Amino acid sequence: MSRVVCDVTVSLDGFVAGPEQSLEHPLGRGGEDLHRWQFAEGDEHRRERDAIVAARAFIMGRNMFGPVRGPWPDASWTGWWGDDPPYHGPVFVLTHHERPDLPRDGGTTFHFATSGITDALARARAAADGGDVAIAGGAATIAQFLEDDLVDELRLHVAPVLLGSGERLLDGVTEFRLVPVSARATPLVTHLVYGREAAGVAESLG
Amino acid sequence: MSRVVCDVTVSLDGFVAGPEQSLEHPLGRGGEDLHRWQFAEGDEHRRERDAIVAARAFIMGRNMFGPVRGPWPDASWTGWWGDDPPYHGPVFVLTHHERPDLPRDGGTTFHFATSGITDALARARAAADGGDVAIAGGAATIAQFLEDDLVDELRLHVAPVLLGSGERLLDGVTEFRLVPVSARATPLVTHLVYGREAAGVAESLG
């Protein structure tokens, strides 16, 4: 059975994006500081980066796909990522508004899922063919999957910065059902993994 | 030179206490879940517990010392901790209102520091005699020391629970100047240490 995984980078005060998000600054003021680890040179974060792209299907909220709201006026918006998006697989975009599949270069195809998250997840699982399904964001979509206990592994990348305001990751989630699995500190980010089964349980009984 | 250290347990959504704090429930609704790791049996958390009590002097906000507000009506409030508080050393309580020193059993003496945090820290450093000074809480006091860049090591114990609302740790802190030093996941809590110098810098250059 494929797992549902989720990678998300947050500030130490729990924001996935800073205030004043805009088309030009989708991460808001200070938001770029969160993701410095993803662009650092060297192999320090290779394992975490490899894990992010290892999923075989992806689900994202419509606001992550783009700024267009309401019914699609036309097919001109094709995502933030240019001709060759980094997903290289099927991406299910949660929306209330139908739109034909949108194939891009490099194996990425955007599918528009209009029947809710459960149906979108079923389609993504089928497409992943035993591989992992990744919840790609944004924060509201991740929160919805966490609240419905659909995430098997949350990989939280905590950047040592404060944003003070902006978009919080865990707003609206009432219960956290995952347990700590691993943690690793690096100069730019601390990688925390939460999953279904705790690491070190045997050790803690000693 | 003695270091200034700070241990604080927070929920995954960044709260040090839940909503509806009261005399009977000083940690608020759900707040007890934060501290389960401190009462767990076994040696899993021995290192972190030893570190908490290793400081030689302590500073706390008045609200952590007790619920009395304004001028001290009398000397009847002597803290939450009974006759033998767990500090076993000098504790400087930040307050605007003078009060004589309050010696307790086991080596704990409460001093009432009315000249601001810088002066309180100078007194605590002198009392620690080369040992660490611990900022014992509460959240507002910790935030004030962080904002003034007076904390050398922040030891954040992140419990895998959500409180949803309550008292946030990092409200009012505009810049975080510490860097990740270490991280360790356990079933009940993830121990994160932030300090002046990052761990693993050399490794990250490889």
Side-chain angles (χ1 to χ4, degrees), chain A residues 102-178:
Chain A
L102 176 65
R104 308 295 287 158
D105 292 347
T108 299
T109 296
F110 292 105
H111 304 275
F112 298 86
T114 57
S115 305
I117 68 170
T118 307
D119 186 63
L121 180 54
R123 291 175 65 190
R125 277 195 206 276
D129 193 24
D132 287 350
V133 173
I135 311 303
T141 299
I142 295 171
Q144 196 176 1
F145 277 86
L146 284 172
E147 181 66 4
D148 289 356
D149 196 22
L150 297 173
V151 176
D152 299 308
E153 186 167 285
L154 176 67
R155 303 188 290 234
L156 209 53
H157 311 285
V158 183
V161 300
L162 299 175
L163 294 180
S165 60
E167 189 174 8
R168 280 199 196 274
L169 175 61
L170 293 164
D171 269 0
V173 186
T174 57
E175 191 182 346
F176 191 69
R177 298 178 182 85
L178 304 177

Side-chain angles (χ1 to χ4, degrees), chain A residues 11-183:
Chain A
S11 64
L12 194 56
D13 50 351
F15 296 100
V16 300
E20 299 167 31
Q21 286 176 271
S22 65
L23 259 179
E24 291 73 29
H25 300 98
L27 294 173
R29 187 153 42 81
E32 289 80 7
D33 290 345
L34 295 176
H35 297 278
R36 286 173 58 209
W37 72 274
Q38 298 209 40
F39 305 101
E41 293 184 8
D43 287 339
E44 168 97 80
H45 308 283
R46 176 186 286 193
R47 195 174 60 196
E48 288 80 10
R49 289 182 191 151
D50 287 350
I52 292 175
V53 297
R56 300 273 296 278
F58 300 83
I59 295 174
M60 67 173 61
R62 178 170 177 169
N63 295 0
M64 182 157 174
F65 178 67
V68 183
R69 303 287 173 269
W72 303 99
D74 52 48
S76 61
W77 181 266
T78 58
W80 297 102
W81 303 275
D83 289 335
D84 185 8
Y87 299 102
H88 310 297
V91 180
F92 295 85
V93 179
L94 300 166
T95 170
H96 295 296
H97 303 280
E98 304 272 354
R99 181 171 163 178
D101 290 351
L102 176 65
R104 308 295 287 158
D105 292 347
T108 299
T109 296
F110 292 105
H111 304 275
F112 298 86
T114 57
S115 305
I117 68 170
T118 307
D119 186 63
L121 180 54
R123 291 175 65 190
R125 277 195 206 276
D129 193 24
D132 287 350
V133 173
I135 311 303
T141 299
I142 295 171
Q144 196 176 1
F145 277 86
L146 284 172
E147 181 66 4
D148 289 356
D149 196 22
L150 297 173
V151 176
D152 299 308
E153 186 167 285
L154 176 67
R155 303 188 290 234
L156 209 53
H157 311 285
V158 183
V161 300
L162 299 175
L163 294 180
S165 60
E167 189 174 8
R168 280 199 196 274
L169 175 61
L170 293 164
D171 269 0
V173 186
T174 57
E175 191 182 346
F176 191 69
R177 298 178 182 85
L178 304 177
V179 290
V181 171
S182 68

